[in-house]
Amino acid sequence: MIWLWITGFVALGPVVVAFAGLAVFIVRLMTDQSGNSARLTIDGSPEELGMEFSEVEFRSAQDSLRIDGWFIGAVDSRSVVIFVPGGGTNRLGTGENLSMARCLHDAGHSILMFDPRGTGRSDRSRMSYGDLESRDVAGAVDYAEARGFDPARVGLIAWSMGGASAMLALRDRRVGALFLDSPLGRLDHAQVRVAVAELVSMPHLAAWLATGFIRTASFAAGRIFLGMNLWRDPIRALAEHPVSTLVVHGTADGRVPVNSGRSAADAAGASLIAAHFLDGVDHCGAFKNKDWYEQTLREFFAQTIGAHPARVALT
């Protein structure tokens, strides 16, 4: 009998090693940000839109990575909105963040914009689809509190993968409001298949098998070798720690299915302020209707965290 075990191990050993190696290769490919040079470029500043600001840095929660950003103080404001960019983008997001910052700053809110790990001027790191990035959000909330802001007056606005980061951060930090645009939820089979389809075109059955392999072997490899838990469920985190929430999601989103936004709205439960599912709008495309988007932002944060007078240092 022992010889059967030895023979089986010798025969299957190379296969197991090959599959393990493939799993590690895939998860490293999924989380690598080095090929996206645009993630490092910060082309612009609040000064261009007439906003005084200061360069700031703080530490992420738990692993203490250095996170770099801008603090844009509003005179006599006691509320602050923290911008949480989408995956692979820095504090500027896809280009509209400064305009949105100006909109909210004019409404009386201070603004904290930062580069998630691995982007902009923050410490280098792999992308973890919200798991590790949630520590950056927690660090940003800690920084806001250290400046004297009450957590109830701290708001988060998050896009795409930033939505996952923000929702996961609710497990450890309390805030007053959460604005989600095209939020990424759990990396379930359907979501991973979308990612697989973006990387390579393959027949339906092959894509289904590849997705299953990624969600089991590659996610396990990420947990063991990269220290990230890709199985975490941001939607569940929001359901367990509800906060005043507004969701915006386009029905034509080809990157994060609209059902992810619907699930986030359901998870917010009685704390849901509003949910807008916009026909024909693609991923994070709602801002193209600039007037509506900015009005929605102003009204939501005015209702939830306000912008009432109190002394907060500008620098």
Side-chain angles (χ1 to χ4, degrees):
M1 181 64 70
I2 186 68
W3 290 108
L4 289 176
W5 284 103
I6 294 173
T7 302
F9 178 79
V10 170
L12 295 178
V15 176
V16 172
V17 170
F19 270 88
L22 179 61
V24 172
F25 171 78
I26 290 175
V27 76
R28 290 181 68 87
L29 183 65
M30 286 177 59
T31 60
D32 182 27
Q33 300 196 82
S34 61
N36 177 15
S37 60
R39 81 193 193 285
L40 300 176
T41 304
I42 300 176
D43 186 14
S45 85
E47 191 173 30
E48 295 175 4
L49 296 183
M51 295 181 289
E52 294 184 11
F53 71 101
S54 55
E55 300 275 359
V56 300
E57 66 175 53
F58 53 88
R59 295 289 169 175
S60 64
Q62 298 183 51
D63 53 10
S64 295
L65 266 64
R66 184 187 60 81
I67 306 300
D68 200 274
W70 292 323
F71 179 75
I72 309 170
V75 177
D76 293 335
S77 169
R78 73 179 191 186
S79 58
V80 61
V81 179
I82 299 172
F83 283 44
V84 187
T89 61
N90 57 41
R91 69 190 76 177
L92 296 178
T94 56
E96 300 87 5
N97 286 14
L98 278 177
S99 178
M100 282 182 269
R102 176 60 188 271
C103 164
L104 291 171
H105 185 261
D106 286 351
H109 304 285
S110 293
I111 307 295
L112 177 59
M113 305 174 72
F114 71 91
D115 302 322
R117 61 184 61 208
T119 72
R121 299 169 188 151
S122 293
D123 282 349
R124 303 281 72 83
S125 177
R126 289 183 172 273
M127 183 170 65
S128 66
Y129 298 89
D131 178 33
L132 301 181
E133 290 84 359
S134 67
R135 302 176 182 180
D136 307 341
V137 179
V141 174
D142 291 344
Y143 176 82
E145 289 190 43
R147 293 194 72 111
F149 291 99
D150 186 317
R153 298 294 186 188
V154 175
L156 303 177
I157 175 170
W159 298 267
S160 191
M161 192 193 85
S165 308
M167 287 187 281
L168 288 171
L170 296 177
R171 297 169 303 173
D172 305 308
R173 301 294 187 276
R174 299 306 295 158
V175 297
L178 175 62
F179 186 108
L180 296 171
D181 186 339
S182 310
L184 175 68
R186 186 168 66 97
L187 291 177
D188 58 14
H189 198 279
Q191 181 63 65
V192 175
R193 278 190 60 193
V194 170
V196 169
E198 282 189 351
L199 291 174
V200 59
S201 177
M202 61 177 64
H204 178 81
L205 178 60
W208 187 87
L209 293 173
T211 299
F213 179 81
I214 290 171
R215 292 201 71 249
T216 52
S218 294
F219 281 20
R223 186 78 171 122
I224 295 169
F225 297 106
L226 302 179
M228 59 182 67
N229 187 351
L230 301 178
W231 283 297
R232 280 204 169 126
D233 187 352
I235 303 297
R236 181 176 179 180
L238 177 58
E240 293 176 348
H241 307 282
V243 61
S244 296
T245 301
L246 187 146
V247 178
V248 175
H249 210 131
T251 61
D253 194 330
R255 299 191 65 185
V256 178
V258 67
N259 282 342
S260 181
R262 297 188 192 280
S263 296
D266 291 341
S271 297
L272 183 69
I273 302 298
H276 303 281
F277 301 104
L278 308 175
D279 290 339
V281 173
D282 203 347
H283 187 63
C284 294
F287 186 76
K288 292 177 181 177
N289 187 346
K290 188 172 183 285
D291 291 341
W292 175 85
Y293 199 93
E294 291 188 347
Q295 179 180 350
T296 302
L297 279 179
R298 287 193 300 268
E299 292 178 352
F300 172 67
F301 285 117
Q303 178 180 350
T304 52
I305 64 174
H308 305 294
R311 288 291 174 186
V312 176
L314 293 180
T315 59

